[in-house]
mmCIF file of all heavy atoms in Angstrom:
data_model
loop_
_atom_site.group_PDB
_atom_site.id
_atom_site.type_symbol
_atom_site.label_atom_id
_atom_site.label_comp_id
_atom_site.label_asym_id
_atom_site.label_seq_id
_atom_site.Cartn_x
_atom_site.Cartn_y
_atom_site.Cartn_z
ATOM 1 N N GLY C 41 68.677 55.221 89.681
ATOM 2 C CA GLY C 41 69.118 55.711 90.980
ATOM 3 C C GLY C 41 70.458 55.090 91.352
ATOM 4 O O GLY C 41 71.159 54.497 90.505
ATOM 5 N N GLU C 42 70.783 55.211 92.615
ATOM 6 C CA GLU C 42 72.115 54.807 93.078
ATOM 7 C C GLU C 42 72.124 53.346 93.536
ATOM 8 O O GLU C 42 72.676 52.472 92.886
ATOM 9 C CB GLU C 42 72.466 55.762 94.207
ATOM 10 C CG GLU C 42 73.763 55.569 94.840
ATOM 11 C CD GLU C 42 73.975 56.626 95.937
ATOM 12 O OE1 GLU C 42 73.614 57.793 95.745
ATOM 13 O OE2 GLU C 42 74.512 56.256 96.986
ATOM 14 N N ALA C 43 71.468 53.092 94.639
ATOM 15 C CA ALA C 43 71.442 51.750 95.231
ATOM 16 C C ALA C 43 70.243 51.700 96.177
ATOM 17 O O ALA C 43 69.795 52.742 96.666
ATOM 18 C CB ALA C 43 72.726 51.487 96.011
ATOM 19 N N PRO C 44 69.712 50.512 96.459
ATOM 20 C CA PRO C 44 68.562 50.429 97.362
ATOM 21 C C PRO C 44 68.905 50.912 98.763
ATOM 22 O O PRO C 44 70.038 50.785 99.220
ATOM 23 C CB PRO C 44 68.240 48.929 97.399
ATOM 24 C CG PRO C 44 69.048 48.288 96.324
ATOM 25 C CD PRO C 44 70.167 49.205 95.982
ATOM 26 N N GLY C 45 67.894 51.485 99.438
ATOM 27 C CA GLY C 45 68.019 51.844 100.848
ATOM 28 C C GLY C 45 67.325 50.784 101.696
ATOM 29 O O GLY C 45 67.024 49.681 101.225
ATOM 30 N N LYS C 46 67.046 51.156 102.945
ATOM 31 C CA LYS C 46 66.503 50.179 103.897
ATOM 32 C C LYS C 46 65.147 49.605 103.453
ATOM 33 O O LYS C 46 64.941 48.388 103.436
ATOM 34 C CB LYS C 46 66.354 50.875 105.253
ATOM 35 C CG LYS C 46 65.995 49.946 106.358
ATOM 36 C CD LYS C 46 66.057 50.645 107.698
ATOM 37 C CE LYS C 46 65.652 49.660 108.779
ATOM 38 N NZ LYS C 46 65.011 50.262 109.900
ATOM 39 N N ASN C 47 64.216 50.489 103.090
ATOM 40 C CA ASN C 47 62.868 50.021 102.706
ATOM 41 C C ASN C 47 62.912 49.169 101.452
ATOM 42 O O ASN C 47 62.203 48.162 101.340
ATOM 43 C CB ASN C 47 61.933 51.212 102.470
ATOM 44 C CG ASN C 47 61.699 51.976 103.745
ATOM 45 O OD1 ASN C 47 61.115 51.451 104.684
ATOM 46 N ND2 ASN C 47 62.177 53.199 103.802
ATOM 47 N N GLU C 48 63.738 49.596 100.500
ATOM 48 C CA GLU C 48 63.862 48.859 99.240
ATOM 49 C C GLU C 48 64.439 47.461 99.487
ATOM 50 O O GLU C 48 63.996 46.472 98.910
ATOM 51 C CB GLU C 48 64.763 49.637 98.273
ATOM 52 C CG GLU C 48 64.175 50.937 97.749
ATOM 53 C CD GLU C 48 64.203 52.087 98.748
ATOM 54 O OE1 GLU C 48 65.019 52.018 99.700
ATOM 55 O OE2 GLU C 48 63.416 53.039 98.588
ATOM 56 N N ASP C 49 65.424 47.405 100.378
ATOM 57 C CA ASP C 49 66.073 46.133 100.730
ATOM 58 C C ASP C 49 65.043 45.176 101.354
ATOM 59 O O ASP C 49 65.054 43.973 101.080
ATOM 60 C CB ASP C 49 67.211 46.430 101.716
ATOM 61 C CG ASP C 49 67.889 45.188 102.235
ATOM 62 O OD1 ASP C 49 68.563 44.511 101.439
ATOM 63 O OD2 ASP C 49 67.735 44.886 103.434
ATOM 64 N N LEU C 50 64.146 45.723 102.156
ATOM 65 C CA LEU C 50 63.155 44.871 102.819
ATOM 66 C C LEU C 50 62.052 44.427 101.859
ATOM 67 O O LEU C 50 61.579 43.295 101.919
ATOM 68 C CB LEU C 50 62.535 45.603 104.025
ATOM 69 C CG LEU C 50 63.502 45.875 105.177
ATOM 70 C CD1 LEU C 50 62.854 46.747 106.241
ATOM 71 C CD2 LEU C 50 63.979 44.555 105.794
ATOM 72 N N GLU C 51 61.655 45.335 100.952
ATOM 73 C CA GLU C 51 60.542 45.022 100.037
ATOM 74 C C GLU C 51 60.977 44.386 98.727
ATOM 75 O O GLU C 51 60.166 43.784 98.026
ATOM 76 C CB GLU C 51 59.761 46.297 99.701
ATOM 77 C CG GLU C 51 58.685 46.603 100.703
ATOM 78 C CD GLU C 51 57.681 47.630 100.173
ATOM 79 O OE1 GLU C 51 57.263 47.530 99.016
ATOM 80 O OE2 GLU C 51 57.348 48.519 100.957
#
Side-chain angles (χ1 to χ4, degrees):
E42 180 179 320
K46 188 172 179 211
N47 295 295
E48 291 76 21
D49 176 68
L50 293 173
E51 273 196 44

